[in-house]
Amino acid sequence: MTSDKCNFLVGSQSIMLASNVSKSAGEENTTGSESACSYVSVVFPITMMATGMVGNSLALILVYVSYRKKENRRKKSFLLCIGSLALTDLFGQLMTSPIVISVYRSDLSWERIDSSGNLCAFFGVCMTTFGLCALFMASAMAIERATAITNPHWYSNHMKTSVTKQTLMVIWCLVLLFALLPVAGVGKYTRQWPGTWCFISTGDREVPGNIFFSFTFALLGIFSLLVTVSCNVVTIRGLIIRCKTKSGTSQASKHWERLTTETVVQLLGIMCVLLVCWSPLLVLMVKMISTQVSSHECNSLEESSQPSSVRDVQLDCNFFLTAIRLASLNQILDPWVYLLSREILLRKFCLVANAVSNCSLEDQKETQMALDALNKQNQGNLQKPQSNKGDL
């Protein structure tokens, strides 16, 4: 059913072009339609929802256990940020993925599950809220780490758990108010290609405040990325400087070097994940706003006399769908790059590395002992003929 609907949405364009183009051109366009349909699959939302729920649930459990044990105020603030981010990503998955899966099960017909159109507005609010909240929470944690490294005295005196809670609440409230602007008449949420999700309309200039709303979303996202990357770079630089000042052969120096290495690797992973997941969508939104193009136009491709133009539109539709999937992938990767990778994977790696090194040392000792025994045996064998010769 889904594949038939996909072929109708994209492949019907080839039928409309049949009277205007040659047979070969029509075959090429049909091939392009089939490749476009490969992007439309229920496997993507199901896989992303399952993996996102597992990762964020593990992160929440680990944060809860660690938060009850920690007495350090700094560590509690960090755990609060991580827990809030994991909870935000988990709710984002739970509120949007089931709707997408339901649309796929309805043969890609949004009207079957949302005849009033209110569900589309709800979906758009969720996408905007959970997307911007994750970005701003990442920026808040980056600022917190940079402040703790560059100005530890001020941080220890002023940074309290209550301040962290208030900051997280302010982020949530402000982002939610911004996401509700289209509901109040400023901007618009529309169904996007292939009709299974709703998001900000980027090309509709007739809607009051639509350009302002969509452009502000893109600018806020880009600003958040720049803040996160800048603060992480400052943190990495501060860690390296402090590591050099604490260099030595003591156990405390080695522990600091190991902690610095883990933190630098984690921060680099955070920056790479954020840039890869969010940059394509934000840059594409700015481009679509400037060219007055919206992804919802892909749902009703108009007849065109040039097959190449149709293929270009299909490529744009597929690229926009890939960009939003990458942004959603950030909700899955967040708990791993922020917490699980450091608490579990790095520890396991260190344990394995120590085990391998210990095994290597034991093997060397066993090999050396075997060589010593063999040398003694050879020396004994050489002495026996000499003693026998003396007896003769």
Side-chain angles (χ1 to χ4, degrees), residues 149-150 233-247 256-257 260 264:
I149 293 298
T150 57
V233 170
V234 171
T235 303
I236 291 174
R237 180 177 178 273
L239 284 172
I240 294 175
I241 292 175
R242 291 184 64 180
C243 186
K244 290 181 178 179
T245 58
K246 293 178 178 292
S247 61
W256 177 259
E257 291 177 0
T260 300
V264 169

Side-chain angles (χ1 to χ4, degrees), residues 141-197:
M141 284 186 283
I143 295 173
E144 185 261 350
R145 281 190 299 263
T147 305
I149 293 298
T150 57
N151 198 348
H153 296 292
W154 183 92
Y155 181 89
S156 59
N157 293 329
H158 296 84
M159 193 61 186
K160 300 179 181 179
T161 307
S162 59
V163 176
T164 304
K165 294 179 181 179
Q166 293 172 4
T167 303
L168 295 174
M169 288 299 299
V170 168
I171 290 175
W172 251 100
C173 293
L174 291 179
V175 171
L176 181 59
L177 289 176
F178 174 78
L180 290 174
L181 286 179
V183 180
V186 181
K188 184 180 180 181
Y189 292 118
T190 56
R191 284 188 293 119
Q192 310 292 326
W193 165 258
T196 57
W197 58 290

Side-chain angles (χ1 to χ4, degrees), residues 3 34 47 72 112 114 137 173 187 202 294-295 297-298 328 332 367 371 377:
S3 60
E34 293 175 354
T47 304
N72 191 314
R112 293 186 182 182
D114 183 28
M137 286 181 181
C173 293
T202 56
S294 183
S295 174
E297 297 175 357
C298 303
S328 300
I332 301 172
T367 304
L371 290 175
Q377 184 178 359

Side-chain angles (χ1 to χ4, degrees), residues 10 13 29 32-33 36 301 310-318:
V10 186
Q13 189 64 28
N29 193 52
S33 302
L301 293 174
V310 177
R311 288 194 295 270
D312 292 339
V313 173
Q314 291 173 358
L315 289 175
D316 291 338
C317 295
N318 293 333

Side-chain angles (χ1 to χ4, degrees), residues 111-130:
E111 290 78 9
R112 293 186 182 182
I113 64 172
D114 183 28
S115 57
S116 63
N118 295 328
L119 186 61
C120 183
F122 171 79
F123 195 99
V125 170
C126 290
M127 291 286 290
T128 304
T129 302
F130 293 114

